[in-house]
């Protein structure tokens, strides 16, 4: 089933964005968004830090941008089921802007963007339903669901849906080591669909690689970190699982991204205590994005993973942490005193 059809069936009909938010003002600093309202209008109504925006069940077809000034903002679905609230749009890297000023670019394609420190997002879906098949004329096929910068960004019980570059977990500046935490999230895509330079913990998350109608392999990669060389911590996936709608061994677990704007990057990824399904190539789970930056020179490692995609057949292709090294790769060490979830 095509994602656009799937999303339309998740939560009511498509709601028009542009009406103002249904605002419940008071000492609790809470704004409510109901069918027919705009999530962005509610965000724009926030003044200062510590607000909560509650989005009621529906599908909201709009782009949402949380500015840096909306610190400690909570954006949450009104129910505990993230399928009930869907925020979705369909811009891609190569999509032309309406004003004729050029294309959106990768970051600009995001359905949801946040630069706010202390952000919490929970109990909803963020999606980009742009499809390659609908736009064969566009070569910039990155289409981001969420572009997140800002320290202490916390996502829990959130579904992140797209194809290429689903989640851009980045930092607010090249010299910043912004911390993110994604807990009990479902993230799906095909090419580099979890990428960026943030210090990011993925705890108890589900990563799903999509079926892709191409004849070549690998069909895609789950992770593409671009960690700063000075940052001791990049991406950590722990107690998670990786599944696939594609055939066995069609995907790689990761490849390093060294951006042209930061050629000193030293990508870091640790996947531990995670079940890796057969969709990941167990013989060679890592590959290069560019041969000038081979994955073997990066900070990639695993520890105590299970499942058919984790079987070690060629040891040099699957670097493993020792028990002593594993003690340095925990949510506590990565998040540095910030505890969004005490059970981490």
């Amino acid at each position: 089933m095509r994602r656009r059809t799937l999303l339309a069936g998740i939560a009511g009909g498509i709601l028009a964005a542009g009406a103002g938010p249904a605002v419940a003002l008071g000492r609790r600093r809470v704004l409510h968004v109901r069918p027919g309202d705009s999530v962005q209008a509610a965000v724009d109504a926030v003044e200062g830090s510590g607000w909560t925006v509650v989005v009621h069940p529906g599908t909201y077809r709009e782009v949402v941008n949380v500015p840096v000034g909306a610190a400690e903002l909570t954006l949450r679905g009104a129910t505990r089921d993230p399928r009930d609230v869907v925020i979705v749009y369909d811009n891609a890297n190569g999509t032309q802007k309406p004003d004729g000023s050029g294309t959106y670019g990768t970051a600009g394609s995001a359905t949801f963007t946040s630069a706010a420190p202390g952000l919490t997002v929970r109990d909803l879906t963020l999606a980009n339903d742009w499809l390659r098949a609908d736009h064969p004329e566009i070569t910039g096929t990155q289409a981001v669901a969420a572009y997140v910068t800002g320290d202490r960004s916390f996502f829990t019980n959130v579904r992140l849906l797209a194809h290429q570059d689903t989640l851009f977990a980045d930092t607010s500046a090249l010299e910043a080591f912004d911390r993110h935490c994604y807990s009990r999230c479902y993230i799906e895509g095909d090419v580099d669909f979890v990428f960026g330079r943030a210090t990011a913990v993925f705890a108890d998350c589900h990563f799903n690689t999509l079926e892709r109608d191409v004849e070549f392999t690998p069909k895609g990669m789950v992770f593409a970190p671009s960690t700063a060389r000075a940052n001791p911590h990049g991406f950590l996936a722990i107690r998670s699982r990786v599944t696939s709608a594609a055939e066995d061994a069609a995907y790689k677990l990761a490849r390093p991204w060294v951006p042209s704007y930061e050629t000193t990057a030293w990508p870091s990824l640790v996947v531990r205590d995670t079940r890796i399904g057969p969709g990941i190539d167990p013989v060679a789970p890592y590959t290069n994005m560019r041969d000038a930056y081979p994955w073997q020179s990066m900070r990639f490692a695993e520890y105590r993973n299970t499942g058919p995609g984790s079987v070690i057949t060629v040891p040099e292709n699957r670097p493993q942490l020792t028990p002593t090294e594993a003690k340095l790769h925990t949510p506590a060490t990565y998040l540095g005193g910030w505890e969004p979830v005490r059970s981490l």
Side-chain angles (χ1 to χ4, degrees):
M1 181 182 292
R2 293 162 71 89
R3 174 167 297 122
R4 191 166 291 117
T5 303
L6 176 62
L7 286 171
I10 287 175
I14 299 296
L15 304 179
V23 180
L25 292 174
R27 295 180 180 178
R28 293 194 301 153
R29 300 165 70 86
V30 177
L31 304 173
H32 287 267
V33 180
R34 296 183 172 85
D37 298 333
S38 165
V39 179
Q40 184 62 57
V43 171
D44 291 343
V46 166
E47 297 181 357
S49 65
W51 285 81
T52 295
V53 174
V54 180
V55 186
H56 290 257
T59 299
Y60 299 79
R61 191 161 197 90
E62 60 177 309
V63 172
V64 176
N65 190 338
V66 181
V68 66
E72 314 300 330
L73 177 73
T74 294
L75 176 68
R76 68 175 182 88
T79 73
R80 293 185 178 181
D81 188 342
R83 292 172 176 80
D84 288 345
V85 174
V86 178
I87 301 172
V88 58
Y89 210 72
D90 62 347
N91 285 328
N93 177 335
T95 301
Q96 290 288 334
K97 295 180 180 179
D99 62 5
S101 62
T103 60
Y104 282 100
T106 298
S109 73
T111 297
F112 176 84
T113 298
S114 174
L119 173 76
T120 295
V121 179
R122 61 183 308 144
D123 306 330
L124 50 74
T125 295
L126 301 173
N128 188 320
D129 63 354
W130 187 90
L131 296 172
R132 300 181 184 99
D134 292 346
H135 302 278
E137 77 284 2
I138 292 180
T139 57
T141 58
Q142 299 88 346
V144 177
Y147 173 45
V148 184
T149 64
D151 193 36
R152 295 178 293 105
S153 294
F154 178 47
F155 287 63
T156 183
N157 196 31
V158 173
R159 299 167 76 236
L160 295 148
L161 313 179
H163 285 261
Q164 184 172 353
D165 291 10
T166 303
L167 171 61
F168 194 171
D170 209 40
T171 59
S172 52
L174 289 182
E175 64 274 12
F177 298 164
D178 295 344
R179 297 164 294 175
H180 299 186
C181 180
Y182 301 85
S183 172
R184 298 186 299 112
C185 291
Y186 173 85
I187 310 170
E188 73 173 25
D190 50 37
V191 179
D192 303 333
F193 64 93
V194 179
F195 73 113
R197 67 192 308 277
T199 299
V201 171
F202 300 87
D204 306 296
C205 289
H206 180 184
F207 305 93
N208 186 54
T209 64
L210 295 168
E211 184 178 8
R212 190 177 176 199
D213 187 18
V214 294
E215 296 181 357
F216 55 80
T217 57
K219 293 187 174 182
M221 307 81 191
V222 179
F223 299 100
S226 57
T227 320
R229 181 168 293 272
N231 189 351
H233 306 302
F235 287 175
L236 171 65
I238 184 170
R239 299 190 310 272
S240 295
R241 59 183 173 130
V242 181
T243 61
S244 182
E247 64 270 26
D248 290 359
Y251 276 82
K252 301 294 186 181
L253 189 59
R255 64 179 179 175
W257 176 34
V258 178
S260 58
Y261 56 79
E262 191 182 15
T263 57
T264 60
W266 192 19
S268 174
L269 167 71
V270 170
V271 180
R272 58 171 299 177
D273 303 293
T274 289
R275 190 182 193 284
I276 303 175
I280 300 298
D281 180 3
V283 177
Y286 306 106
T287 190
N288 298 338
M289 185 173 292
R290 285 183 286 172
D291 289 341
Y293 305 102
W295 74 263
Q296 293 90 342
S297 66
M298 304 301 168
R299 294 175 285 177
F300 285 6
E302 301 177 54
Y303 184 66
R304 293 194 315 196
N305 293 324
T306 59
S310 72
V311 175
I312 301 172
T313 58
V314 182
E316 58 267 33
N317 286 348
R318 306 205 76 141
Q320 302 290 309
L321 298 175
T322 67
T324 299
E325 291 170 335
K327 293 178 181 178
L328 302 176
H329 295 277
T330 66
T333 56
Y334 277 55
L335 298 180
W338 172 47
E339 298 183 12
V341 180
R342 293 193 178 277
S343 62
L344 292 178

